[in-house]
Amino acid sequence: MAATDSARDIRILETAEEVARAAADYFIETADKSISAQGRFSVALAGGSTPRRTYQLLASEEYRNRLPWSKVHIFFGDERSVPATHADSNYRMAEEAMISRLPIPEPNVHRIIGDGDAVANASLYEGELKAFFDGAIWPRLNLVLLGMGDDGHTASLFPGTEALNETRAWVVANWVEKLKTYRITLTAPAINHAANIVFLVAGAGKAERLAEVLKGAHNPRQLPSQLIQPVSGSLVLLVDKAAAARL
Ligand code: 6PG
């Protein structure tokens, strides 16, 4: 049974499996509405480990026949500086869990190129988004899925990094000193112009940081997840009991 914090749509679910299922249901509902209204559905997938189960569910017998996948456009919120075949690739994770198991036309899969020149790859991806959202000042993705790291980062918006100051670009190559690597990521303004944003947060390891992000002082330089505030859209947090332990 989900408990909801009315001010901010925080839905606390018993288990990580229930979080995954609630995210899959939200994906289907939002896609349905978008396809009816616009003839297509654009979603930016989250990376990391938490969303994998949601992607597996969407490709399962239970969910796969609920959408005309030919109208679904898959984007990514961020990517690591690795090839698409690498174990750390967000694309590979989503491809194995979902994309390869659904009839999504290849041109509808808008992958971030991770290997090679990160700055060039970021600008390439921004170009692809700008072509898709022809002439828009900011992209209006129908849905953005996000995770939260135990340091409070989301997408690849890490504490103390340059990308946190971005006010114009849609996509940047963000140098993450603590990982000694570039990450390619949507910027906070690009995410915040989405119609629907959903955080998936599970596990006791996230409890302390999640409480800080939601109840602590506003300090987005140290807690970048606090930067996520939709301009004119909805924000839902799907959280399991373990991660909500300090709320
Ligand atoms: C990434 C993600 C990142 C992720 C968090 C949480 O590329 O790693 O986009 O923002 O969502 O790190 O990761 P977990 O789900 O693995 O805890």
Side-chain angles (χ1 to χ4, degrees):
M1 175 56 210
T4 301
D5 169 321
S6 55
R8 294 168 295 204
D9 197 347
I10 307 170
R11 303 178 191 175
I12 301 172
L13 299 131
E14 286 296 322
T15 63
E17 176 68 14
E18 282 188 29
V19 166
R21 195 163 284 281
D25 292 340
Y26 197 96
F27 184 112
I28 298 285
E29 282 156 33
T30 314
D32 252 348
K33 288 187 197 128
S34 308
I35 292 167
S36 315
Q38 302 165 4
R40 68 183 190 183
F41 170 61
S42 55
V43 55
L45 300 183
S49 57
T50 307
R52 184 198 313 271
R53 181 66 186 134
T54 296
Y55 304 156
Q56 290 169 340
L57 284 168
L58 288 166
S60 70
E61 282 312 313
E62 188 184 349
Y63 283 85
R64 59 183 295 118
N65 301 315
R66 296 194 201 171
L67 280 183
W69 292 98
S70 63
K71 302 205 184 305
V72 173
H73 284 263
I74 303 281
F75 291 89
F76 288 81
D78 68 326
E79 187 56 281
R80 291 93 182 265
S81 289
V82 294
T85 51
H86 192 283
D88 292 347
S89 161
N90 285 337
Y91 168 76
R92 177 177 161 183
M93 182 273 286
E95 207 272 339
E96 288 174 352
M98 178 175 80
I99 298 169
S100 61
R101 303 164 58 202
L102 290 168
I104 302 171
E106 209 183 317
N108 290 21
V109 180
H110 308 270
R111 174 172 82 82
I112 298 175
I113 297 170
D115 50 335
D117 179 339
V119 175
N121 290 337
S123 127
L124 206 60
Y125 202 63
E126 181 165 292
E128 184 153 353
L129 273 167
K130 287 195 169 175
F132 186 83
F133 291 103
D134 188 18
I137 296 167
W138 287 105
R140 183 135 176 100
L141 288 149
N142 295 121
L143 176 62
V144 174
L145 298 177
L146 295 172
M148 186 197 79
D150 53 18
D151 61 356
H153 82 264
T154 190
S156 279
L157 302 170
F158 282 82
T161 58
E162 203 44 45
L164 304 183
N165 310 320
E166 191 55 53
T167 57
R168 298 159 58 101
W170 296 16
V171 183
V172 293
N174 192 25
W175 178 255
V176 184
E177 181 58 29
K178 72 172 182 182
L179 302 176
K180 296 271 182 267
T181 186
Y182 275 105
R183 289 281 193 98
I184 297 166
T185 184
L186 294 186
T187 60
I191 294 169
N192 284 335
H193 281 84
N196 299 279
I197 303 171
V198 174
F199 272 96
L200 289 70
V201 185
K206 304 277 173 77
E208 188 185 341
R209 202 65 70 207
L210 185 63
E212 270 184 55
V213 165
L214 295 177
K215 301 198 307 184
H218 189 63
N219 180 7
R221 278 213 65 73
Q222 289 317 313
L223 299 167
S225 292
Q226 290 181 333
L227 285 173
I228 306 305
Q229 297 173 1
V231 171
S232 62
S234 74
L235 174 61
V236 173
L237 294 95
L238 301 173
V239 182
D240 74 350
K241 254 191 166 165
R246 299 195 184 197
L247 295 183

